[in-house]
Amino acid sequence: MTNPGRKPVIAGNWKMHKTKQEAKQLASAVVNAVKGQSDLPQIVLCPTFTGLETVLAETAGSPVEVGAQNMDWREQGAFTGEISPPMLVDLGVKYVIIGHSERRQFFGETNQSVNQKLQAAIKHHLIPIVCVGETLDERENNLTDAVIARQIAAALIDLTAEQIKGILIAYEPVWAIGTGKVCEATEANRVAKLIRKTVANLHNMPDLADSIPILYGGSVKPSNIEEQLEQSDLDGALVGGASLNAEEFLALITATQKKLRLAPTKS
Ligand code: 13P
């Protein structure tokens, strides 16, 4: 968190959790706690599709934004079970997570579909949170850097520098997700630097790469967020388990606020 142009982000990926009533309670606890507060990070709640309208209603007029966890890249058609970008925009959703490792692992997402979704999100003015990360096997075989560089380059194919400017990237090592094994902050920072270098090389624009917020995801908890926030190239967190509990999620926001008070951003 050293670039003053990058606003930190604390995003909660609720995955397949929370009924409508539970979603309402959690969103309202977050909204009430941050009301009137200064030095907040950008807060984004990503409930299930069925929770979106409830969470949007609960967060309306507050600094808390709402994201979807996935979408199709097509606008409409005979695609049973899918949700399109215009449908999300119509609801008032601002962000969308793209290429989460659980989508890649369990639902057949590929680098190519990630690229198609990313292009569709940008076209419809949704802010994409693009996820990349290596598996344990890849890490143990020293493939981390190659995998991350390939995922980033493939995700960004055919995107102009202008289009890349608005995206967020989440580095989520697969082996750290839901396992309690957090990636060492200095190692996550090293990978974040590699992500910036890969983005910079695509358009030969280091400034562009420097402007993109990069979040860390994988077993983020109040007990380990501070170390992540200390890192030069990390700008917050994409949080799974700890985002399901108001107290824990709010502790992550408070930690980020403290950090921001020490080193304010421009925005
Ligand atoms: P956990 O925080 O539960 O490890 O999940 C991380 C994640 O996948 C966020 O998208």
Side-chain angles (χ1 to χ4, degrees):
M1 250 170 74
T2 54
N3 182 324
R6 298 195 305 257
K7 184 170 179 170
V9 178
I10 298 292
N13 174 8
W14 293 1
K15 307 193 179 180
M16 199 171 72
H17 293 282
K18 307 287 176 193
T19 60
K20 253 166 69 166
Q21 190 53 33
E22 290 164 347
K24 185 176 160 72
Q25 275 171 7
L26 179 51
S28 109
V30 174
V31 167
N32 287 331
V34 302
K35 204 179 276 172
Q37 297 234 14
S38 59
D39 300 311
L40 287 170
Q42 184 57 62
I43 303 162
V44 186
L45 303 181
C46 303
T48 59
F49 287 129
T50 54
L52 283 172
E53 263 197 293
T54 304
V55 174
L56 279 161
E58 214 53 47
T59 55
S62 84
V64 179
E65 301 280 17
V66 179
Q69 297 174 16
N70 178 37
M71 63 172 199
D72 198 279
W73 66 87
R74 294 159 288 211
E75 304 201 353
Q76 60 180 352
F79 303 107
T80 302
E82 291 301 296
I83 307 277
S84 75
M87 290 168 188
L88 295 179
V89 172
D90 184 41
L91 283 182
V93 167
K94 292 249 171 70
Y95 290 76
V96 60
I97 298 173
I98 291 178
H100 190 280
S101 65
E102 286 150 16
R103 303 280 333 157
R104 295 179 192 251
Q105 190 181 350
F106 303 123
F107 302 99
E109 289 221 1
T110 61
N111 283 336
Q112 193 196 359
S113 64
V114 170
N115 174 253
Q116 287 167 304
K117 290 181 179 196
L118 187 48
Q119 295 201 38
I122 291 166
K123 178 174 172 198
H124 291 280
H125 308 289
L126 289 159
I127 302 173
I129 306 176
V130 185
C131 301
V132 295
E134 80 288 356
T135 62
L136 183 59
D137 194 48
E138 288 162 345
R139 173 159 286 266
E140 285 176 348
N141 285 291
N142 288 324
L143 292 171
T144 300
D145 293 13
V147 168
I148 300 297
R150 190 167 61 235
Q151 288 178 341
I152 290 289
L156 303 183
I157 285 175
D158 289 339
L159 262 63
T160 63
E162 193 56 37
Q163 290 173 322
I164 293 174
K165 214 186 239 169
I167 72 171
L168 274 64
I169 294 175
Y171 170 52
E172 298 207 316
V174 178
W175 49 270
I177 296 178
T179 58
K181 284 188 211 153
V182 66
C183 180
E184 257 190 50
T186 50
E187 171 59 9
N189 197 49
R190 187 192 70 78
V191 177
K193 281 182 196 284
L194 168 75
I195 291 171
R196 289 196 199 285
K197 197 168 140 202
T198 310
V199 174
N201 287 345
L202 289 176
H203 291 279
N204 198 17
M205 286 179 72
D207 287 356
L208 169 69
D210 218 31
S211 71
I212 294 175
I214 299 182
L215 317 184
Y216 167 75
S219 298
V220 171
K221 301 270 179 292
S223 57
N224 58 38
I225 183 109
E226 280 172 27
E227 221 184 321
Q228 303 285 348
L229 294 173
E230 289 298 322
Q231 305 302 315
S232 61
D233 285 79
L234 295 175
D235 306 294
L238 180 55
V239 188
S243 74
L244 298 173
N245 173 288
E247 212 173 298
E248 281 195 88
F249 190 64
L250 289 166
L252 301 176
I253 294 171
T254 306
T256 315
Q257 261 179 313
K258 268 193 210 151
K259 180 76 191 154
L260 271 173
R261 286 185 180 132
L262 294 174
T265 57
K266 275 188 220 144
S267 45

